Amino acid sequence: MAYFQSSSQISDIIVDLPSVDGKTQNKAASRQAELTKPPGSLGRLEEVAIWMAGWQRRDRPAIEHGQCLIFAGNHGVVAQGISPFPAEVTAQMVANFANGGAAINQLCNLANLKLDVIPLELDRPTNDLSLGPAMNEDETIAAMNIGAEALDDHCDYLIVGEMGIGNTTAAAALCLGRFGADATGWVGPGTGLDDDGVKHKAKVIEAALAAQSPVAQHPVALLAAFGGRELAAIAGAVLAARMRSIPVMLDGFISTAAAAALTADKKLGVLDHAMISHMSGEPGHLRLAVALRKQPLVDLRMRLGEASGAAVASLLVRAACATHNGMATFAEAGVSGG
């Protein structure tokens, strides 16, 4: 049976999501205080270990069945000239993933994450969001279900990414619809626009907001209006992970924007189980991270997409778990001062 049946049912799910296991989280925090190191000396690795423990609901967190989900989709708004690359590149990159030739293939191999790439109707782009809704409600919920059902039965840690020419425009429009402010603050070069191209992209996004206002502050409404199939699938996967208490590492601007749709109606707690892996080079990502009250783990000036930043951050998650689980306590090591 599908995870999601209707907008109202999704609202009910969001109201009744499982919380972090506070008892296990407190145990993990206590262990960190007993390990052979000055308090706080491992910085955010300590925070990551405690976060993992609380959501995995085990004292010794670990990535045993880590999964990377990449969703691919095409966008009708490409017809507005918002990308220097044609829509055909989406399918070509999906083939590159399948052949093992992309950055994410190398990074998932290194981080020991199972990689699954799911194309969503690449031969049927969404509607042009600058003229009206990109999708209808049924299409949006169907894509969310594809994302949710892509999680493996034994998944205990998830990273999400995307591929889709034009999807930085969709992500920026989604952020504008969710958080407001001005279009110029959400747009960036994407796959390589020059300054004039970025200004044009902002005008296209402003046109989308003007054509569709008002849009209800509901995840399905926002994703239908401004998103794409791959963004809706990411949102579905992230929500399904929360339903199963699986910690999630978001990638960059697009993945974070897709997940941010779940926080509609000021429900930021929907993403308590998710961290932002890295600060994207897309200018709108800083604004988005601030709006979500999340600090990305690293800033490597990456803006590739395809879950690459989340895969790199997964190496830090493994480091956090290894130190948390493997270090001796002061008492075990016979070291004074603990």
Side-chain angles (χ1 to χ4, degrees), residues 122-152:
L122 299 186
D123 58 344
R124 189 169 74 90
T126 56
N127 299 322
D128 184 344
L129 60 83
S130 70
L131 305 177
M135 299 175 288
N136 62 35
E137 179 175 323
D138 289 344
E139 290 173 315
T140 304
I141 293 174
M144 291 181 70
N145 275 312
I146 289 172
E149 292 162 6
L151 271 73
D152 288 344

PDB file of all heavy atoms in Angstrom, residues 122-152:
ATOM      1  N   LEU A 122      11.048  10.873 -17.514  1.00  0.00           N
ATOM      2  CA  LEU A 122      11.921  11.865 -18.135  1.00  0.00           C
ATOM      3  C   LEU A 122      11.419  12.313 -19.504  1.00  0.00           C
ATOM      4  O   LEU A 122      11.770  13.403 -19.969  1.00  0.00           O
ATOM      5  CB  LEU A 122      13.345  11.327 -18.253  1.00  0.00           C
ATOM      6  CG  LEU A 122      14.042  10.977 -16.932  1.00  0.00           C
ATOM      7  CD1 LEU A 122      15.494  10.587 -17.194  1.00  0.00           C
ATOM      8  CD2 LEU A 122      13.969  12.124 -15.940  1.00  0.00           C
ATOM      9  N   ASP A 123      10.611  11.471 -20.138  1.00  0.00           N
ATOM     10  CA  ASP A 123      10.057  11.845 -21.448  1.00  0.00           C
ATOM     11  C   ASP A 123       8.815  12.719 -21.336  1.00  0.00           C
ATOM     12  O   ASP A 123       8.247  13.124 -22.351  1.00  0.00           O
ATOM     13  CB  ASP A 123       9.729  10.590 -22.262  1.00  0.00           C
ATOM     14  CG  ASP A 123       8.741   9.669 -21.556  1.00  0.00           C
ATOM     15  OD1 ASP A 123       8.545   9.840 -20.330  1.00  0.00           O
ATOM     16  OD2 ASP A 123       8.169   8.772 -22.212  1.00  0.00           O
ATOM     17  N   ARG A 124       8.404  13.012 -20.103  1.00  0.00           N
ATOM     18  CA  ARG A 124       7.222  13.855 -19.895  1.00  0.00           C
ATOM     19  C   ARG A 124       7.559  14.925 -18.861  1.00  0.00           C
ATOM     20  O   ARG A 124       7.311  14.747 -17.665  1.00  0.00           O
ATOM     21  CB  ARG A 124       6.030  13.015 -19.438  1.00  0.00           C
ATOM     22  CG  ARG A 124       4.706  13.787 -19.419  1.00  0.00           C
ATOM     23  CD  ARG A 124       3.540  12.822 -19.222  1.00  0.00           C
ATOM     24  NE  ARG A 124       3.453  12.321 -17.866  1.00  0.00           N
ATOM     25  CZ  ARG A 124       2.745  12.911 -16.898  1.00  0.00           C
ATOM     26  NH1 ARG A 124       2.092  14.041 -17.141  1.00  0.00           N
ATOM     27  NH2 ARG A 124       2.697  12.373 -15.700  1.00  0.00           N
ATOM     28  N   PRO A 125       8.118  16.058 -19.282  1.00  0.00           N
ATOM     29  CA  PRO A 125       8.448  17.115 -18.321  1.00  0.00           C
ATOM     30  C   PRO A 125       7.216  17.624 -17.597  1.00  0.00           C
ATOM     31  O   PRO A 125       6.083  17.492 -18.076  1.00  0.00           O
ATOM     32  CB  PRO A 125       9.053  18.217 -19.203  1.00  0.00           C
ATOM     33  CG  PRO A 125       9.457  17.537 -20.460  1.00  0.00           C
ATOM     34  CD  PRO A 125       8.474  16.420 -20.660  1.00  0.00           C
ATOM     35  N   THR A 126       7.449  18.192 -16.421  1.00  0.00           N
ATOM     36  CA  THR A 126       6.359  18.870 -15.725  1.00  0.00           C
ATOM     37  C   THR A 126       5.888  20.066 -16.544  1.00  0.00           C
ATOM     38  O   THR A 126       6.553  20.491 -17.502  1.00  0.00           O
ATOM     39  CB  THR A 126       6.823  19.362 -14.349  1.00  0.00           C
ATOM     40  OG1 THR A 126       7.977  20.204 -14.527  1.00  0.00           O
ATOM     41  CG2 THR A 126       7.167  18.207 -13.431  1.00  0.00           C
ATOM     42  N   ASN A 127       4.755  20.621 -16.172  1.00  0.00           N
ATOM     43  CA  ASN A 127       4.272  21.841 -16.818  1.00  0.00           C
ATOM     44  C   ASN A 127       5.200  23.009 -16.486  1.00  0.00           C
ATOM     45  O   ASN A 127       5.929  22.978 -15.497  1.00  0.00           O
ATOM     46  CB  ASN A 127       2.854  22.157 -16.362  1.00  0.00           C
ATOM     47  CG  ASN A 127       1.870  21.059 -16.716  1.00  0.00           C
ATOM     48  OD1 ASN A 127       1.961  20.458 -17.785  1.00  0.00           O
ATOM     49  ND2 ASN A 127       0.945  20.783 -15.814  1.00  0.00           N
ATOM     50  N   ASP A 128       5.166  24.024 -17.303  1.00  0.00           N
ATOM     51  CA  ASP A 128       5.972  25.228 -17.087  1.00  0.00           C
ATOM     52  C   ASP A 128       5.434  25.975 -15.872  1.00  0.00           C
ATOM     53  O   ASP A 128       4.344  26.544 -15.906  1.00  0.00           O
ATOM     54  CB  ASP A 128       5.908  26.108 -18.342  1.00  0.00           C
ATOM     55  CG  ASP A 128       6.793  27.342 -18.245  1.00  0.00           C
ATOM     56  OD1 ASP A 128       7.227  27.701 -17.137  1.00  0.00           O
ATOM     57  OD2 ASP A 128       7.042  27.965 -19.294  1.00  0.00           O
ATOM     58  N   LEU A 129       6.190  25.975 -14.790  1.00  0.00           N
ATOM     59  CA  LEU A 129       5.718  26.557 -13.533  1.00  0.00           C
ATOM     60  C   LEU A 129       5.546  28.067 -13.605  1.00  0.00           C
ATOM     61  O   LEU A 129       4.884  28.659 -12.739  1.00  0.00           O
ATOM     62  CB  LEU A 129       6.652  26.172 -12.389  1.00  0.00           C
ATOM     63  CG  LEU A 129       8.135  26.573 -12.446  1.00  0.00           C
ATOM     64  CD1 LEU A 129       8.373  27.988 -11.974  1.00  0.00           C
ATOM     65  CD2 LEU A 129       8.970  25.602 -11.639  1.00  0.00           C
ATOM     66  N   SER A 130       6.130  28.720 -14.604  1.00  0.00           N
ATOM     67  CA  SER A 130       5.956  30.170 -14.730  1.00  0.00           C
ATOM     68  C   SER A 130       4.583  30.532 -15.287  1.00  0.00           C
ATOM     69  O   SER A 130       4.169  31.690 -15.232  1.00  0.00           O
ATOM     70  CB  SER A 130       7.047  30.769 -15.613  1.00  0.00           C
ATOM     71  OG  SER A 130       6.894  30.393 -16.971  1.00  0.00           O
ATOM     72  N   LEU A 131       3.872  29.527 -15.809  1.00  0.00           N
ATOM     73  CA  LEU A 131       2.548  29.752 -16.390  1.00  0.00           C
ATOM     74  C   LEU A 131       1.421  29.186 -15.540  1.00  0.00           C
ATOM     75  O   LEU A 131       0.260  29.580 -15.696  1.00  0.00           O
ATOM     76  CB  LEU A 131       2.481  29.126 -17.796  1.00  0.00           C
ATOM     77  CG  LEU A 131       3.547  29.572 -18.790  1.00  0.00           C
ATOM     78  CD1 LEU A 131       3.402  28.809 -20.100  1.00  0.00           C
ATOM     79  CD2 LEU A 131       3.453  31.074 -19.014  1.00  0.00           C
ATOM     80  N   GLY A 132       1.749  28.263 -14.649  1.00  0.00           N
ATOM     81  CA  GLY A 132       0.751  27.616 -13.804  1.00  0.00           C
ATOM     82  C   GLY A 132       1.400  26.485 -13.034  1.00  0.00           C
ATOM     83  O   GLY A 132       2.622  26.288 -13.108  1.00  0.00           O
ATOM     84  N   PRO A 133       0.625  25.708 -12.291  1.00  0.00           N
ATOM     85  CA  PRO A 133       1.198  24.630 -11.477  1.00  0.00           C
ATOM     86  C   PRO A 133       2.020  23.646 -12.297  1.00  0.00           C
ATOM     87  O   PRO A 133       1.633  23.252 -13.396  1.00  0.00           O
ATOM     88  CB  PRO A 133      -0.034  23.950 -10.872  1.00  0.00           C
ATOM     89  CG  PRO A 133      -1.095  24.999 -10.893  1.00  0.00           C
ATOM     90  CD  PRO A 133      -0.846  25.821 -12.125  1.00  0.00           C
ATOM     91  N   ALA A 134       3.161  23.251 -11.749  1.00  0.00           N
ATOM     92  CA  ALA A 134       4.023  22.289 -12.426  1.00  0.00           C
ATOM     93  C   ALA A 134       3.369  20.916 -12.503  1.00  0.00           C
ATOM     94  O   ALA A 134       3.549  20.175 -13.472  1.00  0.00           O
ATOM     95  CB  ALA A 134       5.362  22.184 -11.700  1.00  0.00           C
ATOM     96  N   MET A 135       2.585  20.565 -11.477  1.00  0.00           N
ATOM     97  CA  MET A 135       1.930  19.268 -11.397  1.00  0.00           C
ATOM     98  C   MET A 135       0.570  19.444 -10.746  1.00  0.00           C
ATOM     99  O   MET A 135       0.308  20.457 -10.091  1.00  0.00           O
ATOM    100  CB  MET A 135       2.762  18.283 -10.555  1.00  0.00           C
ATOM    101  CG  MET A 135       4.151  17.996 -11.086  1.00  0.00           C
ATOM    102  SD  MET A 135       5.113  16.937  -9.947  1.00  0.00           S
ATOM    103  CE  MET A 135       5.453  18.101  -8.599  1.00  0.00           C
ATOM    104  N   ASN A 136      -0.282  18.432 -10.890  1.00  0.00           N
ATOM    105  CA  ASN A 136      -1.518  18.441 -10.103  1.00  0.00           C
ATOM    106  C   ASN A 136      -1.294  17.636  -8.829  1.00  0.00           C
ATOM    107  O   ASN A 136      -0.223  17.048  -8.610  1.00  0.00           O
ATOM    108  CB  ASN A 136      -2.698  17.905 -10.918  1.00  0.00           C
ATOM    109  CG  ASN A 136      -2.521  16.466 -11.365  1.00  0.00           C
ATOM    110  OD1 ASN A 136      -1.950  15.639 -10.651  1.00  0.00           O
ATOM    111  ND2 ASN A 136      -3.028  16.154 -12.558  1.00  0.00           N
ATOM    112  N   GLU A 137      -2.288  17.609  -7.970  1.00  0.00           N
ATOM    113  CA  GLU A 137      -2.133  16.949  -6.673  1.00  0.00           C
ATOM    114  C   GLU A 137      -1.837  15.459  -6.825  1.00  0.00           C
ATOM    115  O   GLU A 137      -0.968  14.909  -6.137  1.00  0.00           O
ATOM    116  CB  GLU A 137      -3.398  17.142  -5.830  1.00  0.00           C
ATOM    117  CG  GLU A 137      -3.331  16.473  -4.465  1.00  0.00           C
ATOM    118  CD  GLU A 137      -4.539  16.768  -3.592  1.00  0.00           C
ATOM    119  OE1 GLU A 137      -5.042  17.913  -3.646  1.00  0.00           O
ATOM    120  OE2 GLU A 137      -4.960  15.871  -2.853  1.00  0.00           O
ATOM    121  N   ASP A 138      -2.539  14.788  -7.717  1.00  0.00           N
ATOM    122  CA  ASP A 138      -2.326  13.347  -7.895  1.00  0.00           C
ATOM    123  C   ASP A 138      -0.915  13.044  -8.362  1.00  0.00           C
ATOM    124  O   ASP A 138      -0.280  12.086  -7.881  1.00  0.00           O
ATOM    125  CB  ASP A 138      -3.342  12.785  -8.894  1.00  0.00           C
ATOM    126  CG  ASP A 138      -4.759  12.736  -8.339  1.00  0.00           C
ATOM    127  OD1 ASP A 138      -4.917  12.849  -7.101  1.00  0.00           O
ATOM    128  OD2 ASP A 138      -5.703  12.587  -9.130  1.00  0.00           O
ATOM    129  N   GLU A 139      -0.400  13.833  -9.298  1.00  0.00           N
ATOM    130  CA  GLU A 139       0.963  13.624  -9.782  1.00  0.00           C
ATOM    131  C   GLU A 139       1.980  13.833  -8.665  1.00  0.00           C
ATOM    132  O   GLU A 139       2.967  13.093  -8.552  1.00  0.00           O
ATOM    133  CB  GLU A 139       1.264  14.583 -10.931  1.00  0.00           C
ATOM    134  CG  GLU A 139       0.530  14.292 -12.223  1.00  0.00           C
ATOM    135  CD  GLU A 139       0.753  15.374 -13.263  1.00  0.00           C
ATOM    136  OE1 GLU A 139       0.673  16.566 -12.910  1.00  0.00           O
ATOM    137  OE2 GLU A 139       1.017  15.022 -14.426  1.00  0.00           O
ATOM    138  N   THR A 140       1.727  14.834  -7.851  1.00  0.00           N
ATOM    139  CA  THR A 140       2.648  15.148  -6.753  1.00  0.00           C
ATOM    140  C   THR A 140       2.685  14.022  -5.732  1.00  0.00           C
ATOM    141  O   THR A 140       3.758  13.574  -5.313  1.00  0.00           O
ATOM    142  CB  THR A 140       2.235  16.465  -6.085  1.00  0.00           C
ATOM    143  OG1 THR A 140       2.187  17.499  -7.066  1.00  0.00           O
ATOM    144  CG2 THR A 140       3.212  16.854  -4.992  1.00  0.00           C
ATOM    145  N   ILE A 141       1.524  13.554  -5.336  1.00  0.00           N
ATOM    146  CA  ILE A 141       1.463  12.474  -4.347  1.00  0.00           C
ATOM    147  C   ILE A 141       2.043  11.190  -4.921  1.00  0.00           C
ATOM    148  O   ILE A 141       2.719  10.428  -4.217  1.00  0.00           O
ATOM    149  CB  ILE A 141       0.016  12.286  -3.852  1.00  0.00           C
ATOM    150  CG1 ILE A 141      -0.418  13.526  -3.048  1.00  0.00           C
ATOM    151  CG2 ILE A 141      -0.115  11.030  -2.993  1.00  0.00           C
ATOM    152  CD1 ILE A 141      -1.866  13.524  -2.621  1.00  0.00           C
ATOM    153  N   ALA A 142       1.817  10.938  -6.207  1.00  0.00           N
ATOM    154  CA  ALA A 142       2.408   9.753  -6.841  1.00  0.00           C
ATOM    155  C   ALA A 142       3.931   9.807  -6.781  1.00  0.00           C
ATOM    156  O   ALA A 142       4.595   8.794  -6.488  1.00  0.00           O
ATOM    157  CB  ALA A 142       1.932   9.638  -8.286  1.00  0.00           C
ATOM    158  N   ALA A 143       4.504  10.976  -7.055  1.00  0.00           N
ATOM    159  CA  ALA A 143       5.960  11.121  -6.983  1.00  0.00           C
ATOM    160  C   ALA A 143       6.463  10.979  -5.550  1.00  0.00           C
ATOM    161  O   ALA A 143       7.516  10.371  -5.308  1.00  0.00           O
ATOM    162  CB  ALA A 143       6.381  12.474  -7.562  1.00  0.00           C
ATOM    163  N   MET A 144       5.726  11.528  -4.590  1.00  0.00           N
ATOM    164  CA  MET A 144       6.107  11.367  -3.182  1.00  0.00           C
ATOM    165  C   MET A 144       6.125   9.890  -2.800  1.00  0.00           C
ATOM    166  O   MET A 144       7.010   9.439  -2.065  1.00  0.00           O
ATOM    167  CB  MET A 144       5.153  12.144  -2.284  1.00  0.00           C
ATOM    168  CG  MET A 144       5.275  13.660  -2.397  1.00  0.00           C
ATOM    169  SD  MET A 144       4.141  14.559  -1.295  1.00  0.00           S
ATOM    170  CE  MET A 144       4.875  14.200   0.326  1.00  0.00           C
ATOM    171  N   ASN A 145       5.171   9.129  -3.296  1.00  0.00           N
ATOM    172  CA  ASN A 145       5.135   7.697  -2.996  1.00  0.00           C
ATOM    173  C   ASN A 145       6.305   6.957  -3.628  1.00  0.00           C
ATOM    174  O   ASN A 145       6.861   6.022  -3.035  1.00  0.00           O
ATOM    175  CB  ASN A 145       3.812   7.093  -3.461  1.00  0.00           C
ATOM    176  CG  ASN A 145       2.710   7.261  -2.429  1.00  0.00           C
ATOM    177  OD1 ASN A 145       2.912   6.986  -1.251  1.00  0.00           O
ATOM    178  ND2 ASN A 145       1.551   7.713  -2.867  1.00  0.00           N
ATOM    179  N   ILE A 146       6.688   7.367  -4.837  1.00  0.00           N
ATOM    180  CA  ILE A 146       7.867   6.749  -5.451  1.00  0.00           C
ATOM    181  C   ILE A 146       9.086   6.961  -4.566  1.00  0.00           C
ATOM    182  O   ILE A 146       9.893   6.050  -4.346  1.00  0.00           O
ATOM    183  CB  ILE A 146       8.094   7.317  -6.864  1.00  0.00           C
ATOM    184  CG1 ILE A 146       7.004   6.813  -7.819  1.00  0.00           C
ATOM    185  CG2 ILE A 146       9.481   6.942  -7.392  1.00  0.00           C
ATOM    186  CD1 ILE A 146       7.018   7.465  -9.181  1.00  0.00           C
ATOM    187  N   GLY A 147       9.229   8.171  -4.028  1.00  0.00           N
ATOM    188  CA  GLY A 147      10.339   8.446  -3.127  1.00  0.00           C
ATOM    189  C   GLY A 147      10.281   7.622  -1.859  1.00  0.00           C
ATOM    190  O   GLY A 147      11.281   7.031  -1.436  1.00  0.00           O
ATOM    191  N   ALA A 148       9.094   7.551  -1.257  1.00  0.00           N
ATOM    192  CA  ALA A 148       8.945   6.805  -0.006  1.00  0.00           C
ATOM    193  C   ALA A 148       9.213   5.322  -0.196  1.00  0.00           C
ATOM    194  O   ALA A 148       9.876   4.670   0.628  1.00  0.00           O
ATOM    195  CB  ALA A 148       7.530   7.018   0.544  1.00  0.00           C
ATOM    196  N   GLU A 149       8.715   4.774  -1.301  1.00  0.00           N
ATOM    197  CA  GLU A 149       8.834   3.336  -1.536  1.00  0.00           C
ATOM    198  C   GLU A 149      10.229   2.928  -2.003  1.00  0.00           C
ATOM    199  O   GLU A 149      10.532   1.733  -2.055  1.00  0.00           O
ATOM    200  CB  GLU A 149       7.772   2.908  -2.543  1.00  0.00           C
ATOM    201  CG  GLU A 149       6.360   3.015  -1.977  1.00  0.00           C
ATOM    202  CD  GLU A 149       5.270   3.014  -3.039  1.00  0.00           C
ATOM    203  OE1 GLU A 149       5.600   2.821  -4.232  1.00  0.00           O
ATOM    204  OE2 GLU A 149       4.097   3.217  -2.667  1.00  0.00           O
ATOM    205  N   ALA A 150      11.083   3.902  -2.298  1.00  0.00           N
ATOM    206  CA  ALA A 150      12.449   3.595  -2.729  1.00  0.00           C
ATOM    207  C   ALA A 150      13.361   3.236  -1.559  1.00  0.00           C
ATOM    208  O   ALA A 150      14.451   2.691  -1.767  1.00  0.00           O
ATOM    209  CB  ALA A 150      13.039   4.772  -3.496  1.00  0.00           C
ATOM    210  N   LEU A 151      12.931   3.534  -0.331  1.00  0.00           N
ATOM    211  CA  LEU A 151      13.748   3.198   0.834  1.00  0.00           C
ATOM    212  C   LEU A 151      13.792   1.680   1.012  1.00  0.00           C
ATOM    213  O   LEU A 151      12.761   1.012   0.986  1.00  0.00           O
ATOM    214  CB  LEU A 151      13.181   3.827   2.115  1.00  0.00           C
ATOM    215  CG  LEU A 151      13.677   5.218   2.461  1.00  0.00           C
ATOM    216  CD1 LEU A 151      13.055   6.252   1.524  1.00  0.00           C
ATOM    217  CD2 LEU A 151      13.330   5.568   3.908  1.00  0.00           C
ATOM    218  N   ASP A 152      14.994   1.145   1.196  1.00  0.00           N
ATOM    219  CA  ASP A 152      15.133  -0.278   1.469  1.00  0.00           C
ATOM    220  C   ASP A 152      14.532  -0.632   2.824  1.00  0.00           C
ATOM    221  O   ASP A 152      14.493   0.202   3.738  1.00  0.00           O
ATOM    222  CB  ASP A 152      16.606  -0.682   1.460  1.00  0.00           C
ATOM    223  CG  ASP A 152      17.209  -0.690   0.064  1.00  0.00           C
ATOM    224  OD1 ASP A 152      16.435  -0.685  -0.918  1.00  0.00           O
ATOM    225  OD2 ASP A 152      18.451  -0.699  -0.042  1.00  0.00           O
TER     226      ASP A 152
END
